[in-house]
Amino acid sequence: EADIYQTPRYLVIGTGKKITLECSQTMGHDKMYWYQQDPGMELHLIHYSYGVNSTEKGDLSSESTVSRIRTEHFPLTLESARPSHTSQYLCASTDGRAGGNIQYFGAGTRLSVL
Amino acid sequence: DQQVKQNSPSLSVQEGRISILNCDYTNSMFDYFLWYKKYPAEGPTFLISISSIKDKNEDGRFTVFLNKSAKHLSLHIVPSQPGDSAVYFCAASGNFGNEKLTFGTGTRLTIIP
């Protein structure tokens, strides 16, 4: 079973505020991911990291940024939140071993920007 | 262009019967396929996966079938239980070293007691 944690679970915030969504995993996984999901839609990859000091943008363009200073920690930051950022944000990790592309997900952060 | 498609947004099945969820893909470079289950306000939970070198993988009540020539996979749940009611996502990825997952839009399964 995976140990990956996201905080906060729910966040309601006003336009223009800076926010950081936290994601931590205790499995020592090198590879971590951030997805964005709107209701009834697929998960869209917005950022990923294959190790410390390595971050890449995903398939869906996002105004958010990420950092990977420690293996276990992969926070996502929005410098100035807007209503269009309202969505669910899901963090995942994998050890990426051959034959195992299984990504383990946190519980997600549901963000509402007013 | 959606590379992984789940054409049925919802499915209702009687408790005890078989649930069959379908998924189609277009990218022939995909060679690893996964099914996730998601409850509201929670993250997806891994259910079962299959490599492209196989055509079937079974784990308890869950079986995934892969038809590479048709670029189609399906998840069978038998017997269906009320706790199976959730949204099911199909996902696909490439070879080792390219583990990014591409997800379908999900199918909401409702098990009727």
Side-chain angles (χ1 to χ4, degrees):
Chain A
E1 196 58 43
D3 293 316
I4 181 164
Y5 307 99
Q6 290 186 244
T7 57
R9 290 290 309 276
Y10 303 93
L11 180 61
V12 180
I13 201 162
T15 298
K17 299 291 186 183
K18 177 180 178 179
I19 60 169
T20 297
L21 308 184
E22 301 289 346
C23 176
S24 295
Q25 50 95 4
T26 59
M27 299 166 286
H29 287 172
D30 286 330
K31 301 182 181 183
M32 297 188 73
Y33 308 82
W34 275 103
Y35 293 87
Q36 183 175 341
Q37 190 208 8
D38 295 320
M41 303 295 288
E42 65 265 49
L43 280 70
H44 288 287
L45 181 67
I46 52 174
H47 298 284
Y48 62 100
S49 167
Y50 284 176
V52 170
N53 294 326
S54 157
T55 61
E56 300 286 345
K57 290 191 178 295
D59 304 322
L60 180 69
S61 175
S62 173
E63 293 168 347
S64 58
T65 59
V66 292
S67 62
R68 189 89 183 275
I69 298 172
R70 304 196 315 267
T71 298
E72 63 271 21
H73 195 213
F74 191 39
L76 180 146
T77 298
L78 274 166
E79 290 292 334
S80 179
R82 294 208 300 266
S84 61
H85 296 140
T86 295
S87 189
Q88 184 178 37
Y89 292 84
L90 294 158
C91 180
S93 73
T94 182
D95 59 8
R97 292 178 194 159
N101 289 1
I102 300 168
Q103 292 183 17
Y104 298 96
F105 284 82
T109 294
R110 186 164 294 281
L111 173 66
S112 294
V113 183
L114 305 178
Chain B
D1 179 35
Q2 206 163 359
Q3 299 185 66
V4 178
K5 300 178 184 178
Q6 295 177 256
N7 292 318
S8 298
S10 62
L11 175 68
S12 294
V13 174
Q14 204 78 31
E15 181 180 359
R17 307 293 289 268
I18 184 171
S19 295
I20 300 176
L21 296 95
N22 293 303
C23 178
D24 297 291
Y25 62 96
T26 58
N27 189 339
S28 58
M29 299 301 290
F30 288 147
D31 73 343
Y32 195 76
F33 304 90
L34 307 90
W35 284 94
Y36 283 86
K37 175 181 179 180
K38 186 178 185 298
Y39 293 118
E42 292 185 16
T45 302
F46 170 72
L47 263 182
I48 191 169
S49 62
I50 188 167
S51 165
S52 60
I53 62 173
K54 295 184 176 181
D55 56 16
K56 176 182 174 181
N57 188 27
E58 191 172 353
D59 184 1
R61 297 186 298 115
F62 302 93
T63 303
V64 56
F65 295 92
L66 176 62
N67 183 334
K68 280 194 70 176
S69 60
K71 294 191 176 66
H72 176 84
L73 63 155
S74 60
L75 174 68
H76 292 211
I77 306 172
V78 57
S80 300
Q81 299 174 354
D84 296 330
S85 294
V87 177
Y88 289 78
F89 289 95
C90 172
S93 74
N95 292 322
F96 177 65
N98 184 19
E99 294 90 354
K100 288 191 287 180
L101 295 181
T102 301
F103 283 84
T105 53
T107 296
R108 180 177 301 279
L109 175 64
T110 302
I111 305 302
I112 304 165

